[in-house]
Amino acid sequence: MNPMVVNAFPVGIVHVINSGNVESEGDLRMEPSVGLEFNSSDEALSSRRFVCSKEGFQLNSRTGCPAFIRVQRRDSGKWVIDQIQKDHNHELGLEGENNSPVLQQKPPVAPKSLVEVLRRPKVKLLGQIENGGSSPSGIINFKRQKRGGDGRQPLPEPYTGLEFNTANEAYEYYQSYAESVGFRVRIGQLFRSKNDGSITSRRFVCSKEGFQHPSRVGCGAFMRIKKKDSGSWMVDRLNKDHNHDLGEQTVYVNKFSTASKKFIEEETNGMVSMDLGEMNTGKLIKRSRESKIGTDWYPVLLEYFQTRQAEDTGFFYSVEVDNGSCRSVFWADGRSRYSCSQFGDVVILDTSYRKSNHVVPFATFVGVNHHKQPVLLGSALIANESKECFTWLFQTWFKAMSCCRPKSIIADQDMAIQQAITEVFPGAHHRFSSWQIRAKERENLRSMPIEFRYEYEKCIYESQTTVEFNTTWNSLVNKYNLKGNAWLQQMYDKRESWVPLYLRGKFFAGIPIGETVESFFGTQVNGQTPLREFIPRYEQGLEQCREDERKEDFNSFNLQSFSQTKEAIEEQCRRLYTFTIFKIFQDELLQSYSYIGIKTYEEGTICRYLVKRSGNENDKHAVTFSAVNLSVNCSCQMFEFEGVLCRHVLKVFKLLNIRELPSQYILPRWLRNAEYRILCGAESRVSSQELKAFMIWSLRETACKYVECGTTSVEKYKLAYEIMREGGKRLY
């Protein structure tokens, strides 16, 4: 149920803009009331909410006005007001041309339903914005142009090779052509340069393209333009055939439509840090960047931050400020910063608030601990989704985490996020969020044949080599004549960020590919959480997750896993790994008994083995072993992806009589005492800066535990103080 700002009037009531034109029937201002009925209906809707234009805080002109009415559809098909709030928090009266509605009784006429009004098609103008022309707001009847029939110059048909000075000029031309022929245009997909992210080609489609809405019929008409080296744009692909009737159009002309704004933002690489407005001349001006965060959130959050900082010396927060206005907010407590020193090698930026309408743009940085549980590495409210905003966010997180650089980041596919990650974490591998990939696939593959979808999934999930994937993909595209499909081309260009084959060789702590990562707070805290409940829910959810982590820590230190073999390698890992990781290793060890290993190559200290499952010729992998430093790698790349050796390597170790895992194949992050991993030789594999950061947070966390236990009673205080004093003597 999405709020809408509209002017709606009951049946038999008309909106009189100029009360001076009213006849002597007399003015009658009708107050809305619970129970007031309307005849307008829509089978697809069951309820709708209409709010004051000053609702929310997204614009400076808004005041968070709570006034609204909600209408509910009854079984009879009529709509009735079931909720109402008449109180405004601002003055009412004339405001420019927006006069207070005057409701006038009128003889019954054939009413137009609210839904009919809302369904009026829109045209998205760009030329008037770019060229400085004014564009009136309202409904215009745009009759189909008869070529040569009205004395006007006929509009030329588009053709391959037609050139334009700008992309906007091409859009305006295709829009005008569409109006003359009798269809409407939507802004389609675009391609960007791999080098600088600039737009190299873009596509304009018929409004009935796709099947995402009942009114769409999968029309294939489109015009694609490509940028030339000279800077001009040329039509390089074109389809003028529609699969639906063309005819007279009713066009809604908006001064500054959503599509226009979207187009302009894309033209500037989606990195617009200032919102675009329009003066009376029609030319673009810049306004201060809008924030999606309500102004009432800042004082509440800042008070919370100050309280937490007094309790936790490791608490960090930062607020982005632009022209004196608060914007994005980031915070992390001492425990989160300490967790990052242990588990900051893989980071998930969870922006799942974007899946639906949200009250607040709440995002989290999440890692994976040694029990494979999610751990919070920071929280944020994101003002907008520009490159500048995400760059500030990543830089702030980087600073708060003592310059910890993640190896891999799971985040959304948006160009702004991609560019920010490249700038702040140039060596990190960006993996696209699965939920966004799935959403795009549903949108773009819906119109494809079932056979294509089957072969598409087989290509993605069953390809074993890059050569096999590329060959299968190209064959698939050619077979179904999809070379011109912009979305498929875009996904192919970005294959290293989402195709499992390309991700297996990167470390992601075993986070499954193709599965949606659950939100750290679940449903407890999300983009729908209201301000009054946000902090209590946040604290409760965080404490619950940390309590679960403490339970797993206790179990790993005080309980023992069962051995299922008599092998020394199993006993070694049982002592070192946490329960969760040992279970994964133990399963691989047991599975290795079902495999056979055959030496296929040997030269000097290098040996290669073919390891295959008994009775299954398709389940086979190549394992290469070097006796010099006991290094090994397997074509399944489980160790590279998860940090635990696979069944194929364990089979080779058994053949070579290697009874213990080499130290380089025991990742400190998976150990029971991961928080003390410096003692396990980790200092030889990290930079001096990372080592110092880890030591700071490790000692700070230990000291906090002493403080917590030592303040429960006077006796424990004396004991804790004595222990720390005696320990201090050994340091100095």
Side-chain angles (χ1 to χ4, degrees), residues 284-308:
L284 294 177
I285 59 172
K286 291 184 177 180
R287 297 193 190 124
S288 296
R289 292 183 292 171
E290 273 187 27
S291 173
K292 294 182 178 180
I293 308 168
T295 55
D296 53 340
W297 281 77
Y298 294 107
V300 175
L301 286 175
L302 290 175
E303 183 179 356
Y304 168 69
F305 296 159
Q306 291 165 3
T307 301
R308 291 290 292 113

Side-chain angles (χ1 to χ4, degrees), residues 186-405:
R186 281 194 295 113
I187 298 171
Q189 294 165 324
L190 55 83
F191 288 113
R192 294 184 184 274
S193 167
K194 293 181 181 179
N195 299 323
D196 58 8
S198 62
I199 296 174
T200 57
S201 69
R202 64 178 316 136
R203 180 182 171 104
F204 308 119
V205 301
C206 173
S207 64
K208 292 185 179 291
E209 181 262 359
F211 297 92
Q212 297 90 330
H213 189 275
S215 64
R216 299 186 186 178
V217 295
C219 180
F222 75 93
M223 182 179 83
R224 197 181 85 162
I225 56 174
K226 188 173 184 179
K227 193 171 187 178
K228 301 175 67 177
D229 293 338
S230 62
S232 62
W233 294 76
M234 181 186 74
V235 176
D236 70 329
R237 291 185 184 175
L238 179 69
N239 183 359
K240 294 189 280 187
D241 297 329
H242 296 260
N243 65 354
H244 55 91
D245 292 335
L246 303 177
E248 192 173 72
Q249 297 291 300
T250 300
V251 184
Y252 180 86
V253 184
N254 193 323
K255 273 189 179 180
F256 194 55
S257 69
T258 303
S260 302
K261 184 175 179 182
K262 174 186 174 185
F263 188 95
I264 294 168
E265 286 175 347
E266 287 173 349
E267 286 296 296
T268 54
N269 296 327
M271 298 182 291
V272 183
S273 61
M274 307 289 284
D275 286 322
L276 297 171
E278 186 179 27
M279 300 178 68
N280 292 332
T281 61
K283 293 183 179 179
L284 294 177
I285 59 172
K286 291 184 177 180
R287 297 193 190 124
S288 296
R289 292 183 292 171
E290 273 187 27
S291 173
K292 294 182 178 180
I293 308 168
T295 55
D296 53 340
W297 281 77
Y298 294 107
V300 175
L301 286 175
L302 290 175
E303 183 179 356
Y304 168 69
F305 296 159
Q306 291 165 3
T307 301
R308 291 290 292 113
Q309 205 167 48
E311 301 167 348
D312 177 5
T313 56
F315 190 91
F316 176 98
Y317 74 90
S318 182
V319 180
E320 182 189 20
V321 179
D322 179 44
N323 293 328
S325 299
C326 294
R327 294 180 48 71
S328 296
V329 182
F330 171 84
W331 71 97
D333 63 7
R335 180 68 196 181
S336 290
R337 299 174 75 187
Y338 174 55
S339 295
C340 189
S341 67
Q342 303 169 269
F343 312 115
D345 46 2
V346 177
V347 175
I348 303 164
L349 175 62
D350 181 3
T351 55
S352 54
Y353 71 87
R354 306 166 70 197
K355 292 181 183 180
S356 60
N357 292 329
H358 51 273
V359 175
V360 59
F362 175 60
T364 54
F365 289 87
V366 180
V368 178
N369 71 7
H370 51 330
H371 306 297
K372 285 216 166 184
Q373 296 171 312
V375 288
L376 189 66
L377 305 180
S379 305
L381 301 187
I382 300 175
N384 63 32
E385 290 159 9
S386 65
K387 181 215 170 187
E388 288 80 4
C389 187
F390 283 112
T391 300
W392 176 89
L393 182 62
F394 289 138
Q395 288 174 339
T396 304
W397 181 86
F398 182 62
K399 180 171 62 176
M401 302 304 160
S402 302
C403 301
C404 171
R405 289 187 179 276

Side-chain angles (χ1 to χ4, degrees), residues 14 20 97 160 202 294 328 382 415 463 520 580 586 594 624 701:
V14 295
E97 294 180 356
T160 302
R202 64 178 316 136
S328 296
I382 300 175
M415 182 58 68
S463 296
F520 179 83
T580 304
Q586 189 179 55
S594 301
T624 304
E701 185 69 13

